[in-house]
Amino acid sequence: MSLRRARIAFSDSAAKQLENITSEAEIHALDRALVVISVDPEAGEPIPGDTAGPRLRQYTDELEAVRVLYFVTALCTVVVVAYIEV
């Protein structure tokens, strides 16, 4: 595991989802999930599927009721969030 955090980037659809989150509790919950992913991009479970493209992963925090779908770039420096559910 790297000592440096990965950068988080958002797809257009995830960015639109972010705009709709207004609850402070939901923002805090999402923040915590994104910190976990940035510290350890492998924290989520791989989602079975086609291996031709980037491998989607799913990070779920049952306690905070957050689900994030994302993929990690080849150099593990950027995590692109594709979907957010709070």
Side-chain angles (χ1 to χ4, degrees):
M1 180 167 57
S2 174
L3 296 176
R4 205 175 77 176
R5 286 186 178 186
R7 288 185 331 141
I8 302 288
F10 297 95
S11 67
D12 290 343
S13 61
K16 286 180 183 175
Q17 288 174 303
L18 276 176
E19 292 173 5
N20 294 327
I21 298 174
T22 57
S23 161
E24 199 168 314
E26 289 177 339
I27 292 169
H28 177 73
L30 177 59
D31 240 9
R32 287 174 45 105
L34 294 176
V35 167
V36 169
I37 294 168
S38 73
V39 170
D40 181 9
E42 303 294 318
E45 298 292 322
I47 296 175
D50 187 8
T51 58
R55 296 280 302 180
L56 277 177
R57 301 184 70 81
Q58 170 180 268
Y59 176 79
T60 305
D61 183 331
E62 301 292 333
L63 183 63
E64 296 283 353
V66 174
R67 180 172 169 238
V68 178
L69 300 184
Y70 66 98
F71 66 90
V72 182
T73 62
L75 298 177
C76 295
T77 57
V78 177
V79 174
V80 178
V81 175
Y83 176 80
I84 300 166
E85 186 176 284
V86 182

